């Protein structure tokens, strides 16, 4: 993170994702699926035949029996630019959100500036476009323009606050490149739907074209989930990354 001493603004090109709590395991899927035919089972019973358990999860994923994947929960603390959250909130089924409020606290001057590896140039048309590397001049332009715009916007915000303007009014001048934070809680089925749309992956049977910034968040969430539910994650991948 760079620090602009003159405006006390901070510029970032990353996102952070922290798994703060969870109740999520492959056994949750197995219990939910088998209760309809075998009643409640102990974890020891489920572990007796790991191959059968793997096969059941794969069957449920392949034939899109989705409800067994809902009996779990993961809560993430996410720090990202506001533009990411505006896309994130399109995902409503199976999700709960609480975001920091610019009505009740003074917002910190932390802003998004793309890192050098962020592709800048869009080619093609929606549905068939691709992004390619920008030139050194384009990267320089983006960085300088964003920093200057952020400085001016935050200075205006501070001036209004100093003159007694309400925070909920003054925040209107702040850009979507401002960092915010939120808690996001979901189950595995909702997360798989999110990942199917917000990641690019060679195993996906249906291509997706996510904005890179939300994909950065999605990749970190997927890594956490894969560690909690490895059999479910493997079945998701092997069945084209389509949510059941």
């Amino acid at each position: 993170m760079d620090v602009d001493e003159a405006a006390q603004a901070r510029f970032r090109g990353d996102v952070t994702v922290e798994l703060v709590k969870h109740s999520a395991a492959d056994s949750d899927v197995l219990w939910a699926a088998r209760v309809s035919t075998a009643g409640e089972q102990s974890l020891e019973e489920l572990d007796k035949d790991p191959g059968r358990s793997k096969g059941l999860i794969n069957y449920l994923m392949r034939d899109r029996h989705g409800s067994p994947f809902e009996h779990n929960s993961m809560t993430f603390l996410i720090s990202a630019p506001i533009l990411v959250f505006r896309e994130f909130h399109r995902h409503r089924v199976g999700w709960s959100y609480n975001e920091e409020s610019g009505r009740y606290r003074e917002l910190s001057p932390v802003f998004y500036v793309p890192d050098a590896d962020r592709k800048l140039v869009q080619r093609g048309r929606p549905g068939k476009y691709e992004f390619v590397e920008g030139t050194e001049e384009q990267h320089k332009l983006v960085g300088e323009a964003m920093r200057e715009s952020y400085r001016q916007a935050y200075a205006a915000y501070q001036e209004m606050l100093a003159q007694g303007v309400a925070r909920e009014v003054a925040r209107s001048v702040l850009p979507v490149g401002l960092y915010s934070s939120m808690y996001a809680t979901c189950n595995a089925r909702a997360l798989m739907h999110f990942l199917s749309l917000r990641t690019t992956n060679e195993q996906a049977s249906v291509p997706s074209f996510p904005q890179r910034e939300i994909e950065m968040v999605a990749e970190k969430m997927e890594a956490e989930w894969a560690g909690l539910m490895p059999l479910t994650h493997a079945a998701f991948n092997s069945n084209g990354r389509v949510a059941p």
Side-chain angles (χ1 to χ4, degrees), residues 56-130:
L56 175 56
I57 289 176
N58 189 70
Y59 158 74
L60 295 169
M61 191 76 68
R62 184 194 68 213
D63 285 17
R64 304 194 72 183
H65 296 289
S67 60
F69 297 99
E70 297 175 1
H71 297 272
N72 55 83
S73 177
M74 294 164 279
T75 298
F76 300 91
L77 175 60
I78 302 167
S79 175
I82 289 174
L83 63 93
V84 168
F85 293 163
R86 297 298 80 82
E87 288 198 336
F88 220 121
H89 292 161
R90 300 300 301 162
H91 298 268
R92 298 182 294 277
V93 178
W95 289 89
S96 297
Y97 304 107
N98 277 91
E99 185 180 349
E100 68 175 284
S101 174
R103 296 185 67 193
Y104 303 117
R105 64 179 295 271
E106 182 177 333
L107 299 171
S108 299
V110 184
F111 300 99
Y112 175 69
V113 175
D115 285 339
D117 60 353
R118 203 315 184 177
K119 296 178 179 179
L120 295 182
V121 180
Q122 178 181 324
R123 294 196 306 208
R125 58 183 175 81
K128 280 196 163 182
Y129 58 75
E130 62 175 346

Side-chain angles (χ1 to χ4, degrees), residues 79-207:
S79 175
I82 289 174
L83 63 93
V84 168
F85 293 163
R86 297 298 80 82
E87 288 198 336
F88 220 121
H89 292 161
R90 300 300 301 162
H91 298 268
R92 298 182 294 277
V93 178
W95 289 89
S96 297
Y97 304 107
N98 277 91
E99 185 180 349
E100 68 175 284
S101 174
R103 296 185 67 193
Y104 303 117
R105 64 179 295 271
E106 182 177 333
L107 299 171
S108 299
V110 184
F111 300 99
Y112 175 69
V113 175
D115 285 339
D117 60 353
R118 203 315 184 177
K119 296 178 179 179
L120 295 182
V121 180
Q122 178 181 324
R123 294 196 306 208
R125 58 183 175 81
K128 280 196 163 182
Y129 58 75
E130 62 175 346
F131 281 87
V132 297
E133 302 289 345
T135 65
E136 184 177 341
E137 290 76 16
Q138 286 171 323
H139 278 280
K140 181 180 179 181
L141 172 63
V142 167
E144 291 179 350
M146 286 187 171
R147 287 181 172 88
E148 182 59 25
S149 177
Y150 292 151
R151 292 188 195 101
Q152 292 181 8
Y154 198 77
Y157 173 67
Q158 288 286 292
E159 182 179 4
M160 284 189 281
L161 293 181
Q163 294 298 319
V165 176
R167 289 183 290 267
E168 66 183 56
V169 176
R171 65 177 175 170
S172 300
V173 299
L174 295 174
V176 294
L178 182 78
Y179 272 75
S180 186
S181 61
M182 72 171 180
Y183 286 106
T185 299
C186 64
N187 59 51
R189 188 182 190 184
L191 181 59
M192 283 186 279
H193 178 68
F194 173 79
L195 295 175
S196 71
L197 294 172
R198 303 300 182 179
T199 59
T200 304
N201 192 291
E202 293 180 353
Q203 293 177 283
S205 58
V206 180

Side-chain angles (χ1 to χ4, degrees), residues 6-49:
Q8 296 300 310
R10 292 179 291 163
F11 303 110
R12 297 175 51 180
D14 66 326
V15 298
T16 59
V17 174
E18 178 187 357
L19 179 67
V20 295
K21 67 176 181 177
H22 68 87
S23 176
D26 290 318
S27 57
D28 297 326
V29 181
L30 300 171
W31 278 323
R34 290 177 179 170
V35 72
S36 61
T37 58
E40 185 177 356
Q41 296 181 330
S42 69
L43 183 60
E44 290 76 17
E45 290 175 310
L46 294 173
D47 284 341
K48 283 181 180 178
D49 190 352

